[in-house]
C-alpha cells in the first residue's frame, strides 16, 4: 500500500513515528508539506496553502492507494482531486480553534476521519474514529533521575523541585502565564524551592532525558486533543499535573501520583502534593494502552478498510484512477 501524506508540519514527531511504524507493516509513504517556513511565532498564511494545491494535484496522479491529510487545513487540497480516497486526521486545534469550520465542512467528504479523543469527537459532532497518537515506549522509558539531570545540565539544581513545561512560552494555546503563576505560588508555599523549566526546540530524542530529570510535568493548555507530552511523561513514570482538556482525564485514570485541576487553586494544591510525595508514578502501565505499536495497528486497519471499500465499489478493474473515481465523485 502506498500513501500520500499531506501535512503542514513535516517534522511533527508523532506523525513521523506513526509512519515509521506503518512502514514496518508494509506501508510506503510520500510526504508533501505546505510551502513556506513556520515557527512558534510565525504561522503560514493562505498564500502558502494556495501555492501547495497545484503540487498536490500533480502528485495525486501518481497512483496512490489513499491520501492521508494531517490537520484540518490540509483537507480541502486532499479533496480537490477525484479518484483517490481520503483519510483525515485532526490534531486538536483544528477542532477547537478558528480552523474548526474548515474541518467540519470537509469531514463529511472524507472516507475516514480520525480524532485523538472522545472529547474531540463530541466537539466535531460527527461519527469518526478515535485514535490517540502513540508513544514510543522504547524511546520514552524510565531512567535514573541523577543521570538524566546530568545529561540535561540540571545537576546543579540542588534540592529545588524541577517542574517541566515542554512547550515554547510564546505558544498562546499552551497558557504559559498560568503555568508560571501556579509554580510561583507553589514556590512561595513550599519549604523547598520550585523551578519551572521551559523546554522546547530540542531534538525529540532528548525529550526523555528532560522527562526523567523533572519532578513533575505541568500542563495548563487552553485546549488539547491528546497531548503527547502527557503520554510521554507517563511512559517515563513522570507525575503529571494538568488541566482537564482533551483526553487527559482518561490517560491519567489510575495513575498515581498525578492530579487534574480546573482552577489555579486546584492546580497549585495538586502540584504541591505531587512534589512533596517525591515519587515517580505508575504511568508506564497506562502508557501501554497508547503505545505506538497499538495505535499503528489500528491505523493500518483503517487504511486497509478504506482501500477494500474503494475496490468493492469499483465498477471495473480498468486501472486505479477509473477504479476509484465513481464512488468518490458520487460522495462529493
Amino acid at each position: 500500500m502506498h500513501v500520500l501524506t499531506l501535512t503542514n508540519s513535516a517534522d511533527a514527531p508523532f506523525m513521523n513515528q506513526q509512519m515509521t511504524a506503518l512502514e514496518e507493516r508494509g506501508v510506503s509513504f510520500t510526504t508533501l508539506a505546505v510551502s513556506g517556513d513556520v515557527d512558534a511565532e510565525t504561522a503560514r498564511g493562505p498564500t502558502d496553502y494556495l501555492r501547495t494545491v497545484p503540487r498536490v494535484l500533480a502528485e495525486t496522479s501518481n497512483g496512490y492507494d489513499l491520501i492521508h491529510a494531517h490537520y484540518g487545513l490540509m483537507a480541502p487540497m486532499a479533496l480537490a482531486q477525484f479518484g483517490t480516497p481520503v483519510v483525515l486526521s485532526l490534531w486538536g486545534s483544528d477542532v477547537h480553534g478558528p480552523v474548526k469550520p474548515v474541518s467540519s465542512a470537509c469531514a463529511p467528504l472524507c472516507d475516514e476521519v480520525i480524532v485523538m479523543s472522545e472529547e474531540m469527537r463530541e466537539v466535531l459532532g460527527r461519527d469518526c474514529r478515535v485514535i490517540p497518537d502513540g508513544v514510543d515506549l522504547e524511546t520514552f522509558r524510565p531512567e535514573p533521575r541523577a543521570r538524566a539531570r546530568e545529561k540535561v545540565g540540571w545537576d546543579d539544581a540542588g534540592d529545588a523541585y524541577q517542574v517541566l513545561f515542554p512547550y515554547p512560552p510564546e505558544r498562546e494555546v499552551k497558557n504559559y502565564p498560568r503555568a508560571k503563576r501556579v509554580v510561583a505560588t507553589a514556590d512561595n508555599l513550599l519549604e523547598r524551592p520550585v523551578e519551572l523549566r521551559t523546554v522546547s526546540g530540542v531534538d525529540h530524542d532528548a525529550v526523555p532525558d528532560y522527562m526523567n530529570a523533572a519532578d513533575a510535568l505541568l500542563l495548563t493548555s487552553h485546549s488539547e486533543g491528546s497531548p503527547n507530552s502527557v503520554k510521554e511523561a507517563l511512559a517515563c513514570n513522570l507525575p503529571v499535573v494538568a488541566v482537564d482538556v482533551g483526553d487527559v482525564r482518561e490517560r491519567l485514570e489510575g495513575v498515581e501520583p498525578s492530579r487534574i485541576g480546573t482552577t489555579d487553586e486546584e492546580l497549585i494544591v495538586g502540584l504541591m502534593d505531587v512534589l512533596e510525595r517525591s515519587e515517580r508514578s505508575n504511568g508506564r502501565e497506562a502508557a501501554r494502552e497508547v503505545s505506538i505499536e497499538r495505535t499503528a495497528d489500528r491505523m493500518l486497519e483503517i487504511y486497509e478498510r478504506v482501500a477494500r471499500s474503494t475496490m468493492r465499489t469499483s465498477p471495473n478493474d480498468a486501472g486505479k484512477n477509473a477504479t476509484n473515481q465513481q464512488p468518490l465523485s458520487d460522495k462529493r
Side-chain angles (χ1 to χ4, degrees):
M1 182 182 298
H2 193 35
V3 175
L4 175 61
T5 296
L6 302 182
T7 180
N8 63 355
S9 183
D11 58 351
F14 58 88
M15 181 188 70
N16 288 307
Q17 288 173 1
Q18 182 185 88
M19 290 196 294
T20 298
L22 287 165
E23 286 173 339
E24 294 171 356
R25 289 155 174 77
V27 181
S28 60
F29 292 92
T30 295
T31 299
L32 197 157
V34 176
S35 305
D37 297 324
V38 65
D39 55 35
E41 297 179 334
T42 305
R44 292 189 176 91
T47 303
D48 296 319
Y49 285 88
L50 289 173
R51 287 206 312 265
T52 308
V53 173
R55 295 168 52 212
V56 171
L57 294 177
E59 186 62 40
T60 55
S61 66
N62 291 330
Y64 292 94
D65 293 289
L66 62 88
I67 299 170
H68 192 166
H70 290 264
Y71 197 69
L73 288 178
M74 305 307 298
M77 60 186 72
L79 295 166
Q81 55 78 44
F82 294 95
T84 306
V86 175
V87 174
L88 172 63
S89 281
L90 298 173
W91 287 5
S93 60
D94 45 3
V95 170
H96 296 284
V99 178
K100 182 185 176 183
V102 177
S103 303
S104 298
C106 292
L109 305 178
C110 298
D111 295 83
E112 287 283 0
V113 178
I114 299 164
V115 295
M116 298 183 185
S117 67
E118 291 289 346
E119 184 256 0
M120 284 181 64
R121 175 155 61 182
E122 292 174 5
V123 172
L124 189 62
R126 61 167 285 108
D127 186 36
C128 47
R129 313 289 175 179
V130 178
I131 304 180
D133 288 325
V135 59
D136 184 349
L137 297 181
E138 291 298 316
T139 300
F140 288 87
R141 58 187 179 184
E143 296 287 348
R145 182 183 302 171
R147 183 190 305 168
R149 288 193 173 181
E150 185 177 355
K151 286 182 180 179
V152 302
W154 295 359
D155 47 331
D156 60 350
D159 67 344
Y161 294 116
Q162 303 298 305
V163 178
L164 180 63
F165 184 85
Y167 307 105
E170 59 270 19
R171 284 192 66 187
E172 184 177 353
V173 71
K174 301 302 182 181
N175 201 355
Y176 174 72
R178 189 178 202 182
K180 189 175 180 180
R181 188 166 65 243
V182 167
V183 169
T185 304
D187 180 51
N188 286 333
L189 294 174
L190 291 174
E191 291 185 5
R192 288 172 57 183
V194 184
E195 296 183 0
L196 180 62
R197 297 278 190 169
T198 59
V199 175
S200 64
V202 301
D203 188 274
H204 193 244
D205 289 339
V207 174
D209 295 327
Y210 290 95
M211 295 284 182
N212 285 301
D215 295 292
L217 176 112
L218 181 59
L219 181 87
T220 53
S221 302
H222 293 296
S223 65
E224 291 281 356
S226 178
N228 293 299
S229 61
V230 168
K231 291 173 286 191
E232 292 165 352
L234 294 178
C236 295
N237 286 337
L238 175 65
V240 175
V241 177
V243 290
D244 190 5
V245 291
D247 68 348
V248 169
R249 184 172 293 276
E250 179 183 357
R251 299 278 76 84
L252 295 185
E253 185 175 358
V255 176
E256 283 290 335
S258 283
R259 296 291 181 268
I260 293 177
T262 56
T263 66
D264 278 14
E265 182 180 0
E266 290 174 347
L267 291 171
I268 292 164
V269 171
L271 180 61
M272 291 171 58
D273 178 54
V274 164
L275 294 176
E276 287 187 306
R277 288 178 63 172
S278 295
E279 301 172 3
R280 303 307 279 183
S281 78
N282 60 343
R284 190 165 177 82
E285 286 305 310
R288 295 188 192 281
E289 294 297 318
V290 286
S291 70
I292 191 67
E293 300 302 321
R294 292 192 180 190
T295 57
D297 286 341
R298 294 177 64 190
M299 188 65 69
L300 181 60
E301 290 175 3
I302 288 178
Y303 281 6
E304 292 176 338
R305 182 165 58 247
V306 168
R308 285 196 303 268
S309 176
T310 303
M311 292 175 64
R312 281 198 303 269
T313 55
S314 169
N316 56 60
D317 295 321
K320 177 153 185 8
N321 289 338
T323 296
N324 292 339
Q325 183 147 355
Q326 183 173 342
L328 289 179
S329 178
D330 291 344
K331 178 180 290 186
R332 296 173 197 162

